[in-house]
Amino acid sequence: MKFITESDLRVTYRKEPFSEFRLDKDIRLTPGARQFLTDRRIELLIHDVLEQSATVDDGQNEESGTVATPQETDWKTKKIKNEVTALVTSILLTAFELLEIDIKLSQKVAELEPHVSAMKNMLSSDDTPSSMLCEPCKSITQENFSDPLADCFAINAFHMQMPKGKAMLLINRIRCTVLSFEVSIVETYGENSKDALRRQINQIRNRLSQLICTAFGGNECQRKE
């Protein structure tokens, strides 16, 4: 049995774009390959019959021709776990750099580390988010703490010149990394999965937004309605 991966399809599509893909007998698609076809609305023909469902299975599905190989699943999990480790390192390094600027702010950033580390366990099960404390402000409350809220304000060169401009930039760097990590989760598992993990990500990004506001103007929320 032959497996066609996402990389195989990308190479073929780059050479010559196509609007339908024929899957012959004894050939299977990996979940990544199937998602590639779905994202580009490419019709999948299995034995010359149009495939109706675009559902990606975690296991084997003979009717859809999709197989999740152990090697691919293991590789994706390792990739995401490595991103979590990199994010933890970034948080600790930022907390270390903030010691010279604001000790309390450094401590608040360091407090995020166990909540980020907990996301590794959430990759293998849909556990509930860890109990991160929400410190309500004008715009971020207990009710929307787990929602994907936008930045309180855009960071630019002006903020770099402020007394705690470096602190704002350092924390915003972590926040951007968290946003990129969320994209990796969606690309790997799909938009309708890992809901608990994504709520955890939202809590972390919202807490970082609050810390940026703290560096900007003390305890005053800077979000513009």
Side-chain angles (χ1 to χ4, degrees):
M1 182 180 295
K2 178 182 178 182
F3 297 111
I4 295 181
T5 66
E6 179 182 355
S7 297
D8 295 331
L9 292 179
R10 286 186 181 278
V11 171
T12 303
Y13 192 84
R14 194 178 298 118
K15 292 179 179 178
E16 184 177 353
F18 49 89
S19 59
E20 65 178 34
F21 185 80
R22 298 178 182 276
L23 199 63
D24 297 327
K25 187 178 180 181
D26 296 329
I27 296 180
R28 296 289 182 266
L29 295 176
T30 62
R34 173 174 284 270
Q35 190 62 46
F36 177 88
L37 298 177
T38 301
D39 292 343
R40 288 159 180 76
R41 300 183 182 279
I42 297 173
E43 293 183 347
L44 177 60
L45 299 175
I46 301 178
H47 312 322
D48 293 327
V49 177
L50 179 63
E51 158 83 344
Q52 297 297 324
S53 173
T55 301
V56 179
D57 296 326
D58 291 330
Q60 180 171 339
N61 187 325
E62 292 293 338
E63 294 297 324
S64 66
T66 300
V67 169
T69 65
Q71 294 87 349
E72 181 177 25
T73 302
D74 185 57
W75 177 84
K76 287 184 176 181
T77 301
K78 285 183 178 179
K79 174 180 178 294
I80 295 298
K81 286 187 175 181
N82 286 337
E83 289 189 34
V84 174
T85 300
L87 182 54
V88 168
T89 302
S90 179
I91 286 174
L92 295 178
L93 180 59
T94 298
F96 177 75
E97 292 178 292
L98 286 172
L99 284 173
E100 299 178 352
I101 304 172
D102 189 318
I103 294 179
K104 289 186 177 180
L105 202 56
S106 172
Q107 291 174 338
K108 289 183 179 297
V109 170
E111 288 172 359
L112 296 175
E113 183 273 326
H115 301 289
V116 174
S117 296
M119 293 194 294
K120 283 188 178 181
N121 295 329
M122 300 177 71
L123 292 172
S124 55
S125 62
D126 203 29
D127 293 338
T128 56
S130 58
S131 55
M132 183 182 302
L133 177 64
C134 173
E135 299 182 12
C137 61
K138 182 177 68 175
S139 301
I140 300 177
T141 64
Q142 189 66 51
E143 287 70 28
N144 64 9
F145 191 44
S146 298
D147 296 339
L149 304 178
D151 293 352
C152 292
F153 58 91
I155 303 293
N156 53 42
F158 166 76
H159 301 98
M160 179 180 66
Q161 306 172 50
M162 299 183 67
K164 292 187 179 180
K166 182 177 180 180
M168 297 167 63
L169 292 173
L170 289 172
I171 298 173
N172 191 55
R173 181 178 62 183
I174 301 177
R175 193 179 191 282
C176 292
T177 304
V178 171
L179 294 175
S180 296
F181 177 67
E182 182 180 18
V183 173
S184 294
I185 293 296
V186 174
E187 289 178 340
T188 302
Y189 300 104
E191 289 192 71
N192 299 318
S193 61
K194 301 296 179 185
D195 289 339
L197 176 59
R198 294 175 68 182
R199 290 197 301 274
Q200 180 91 335
I201 293 172
N202 290 336
Q203 291 182 4
I204 293 169
R205 65 192 273 189
N206 291 336
R207 184 64 184 132
L208 289 168
S209 292
Q210 289 182 314
L211 295 181
I212 292 174
C213 279
T214 299
F216 181 90
N219 296 322
E220 183 179 351
C221 180
Q222 302 298 318
R223 184 181 294 274
K224 304 300 180 182
E225 301 297 341

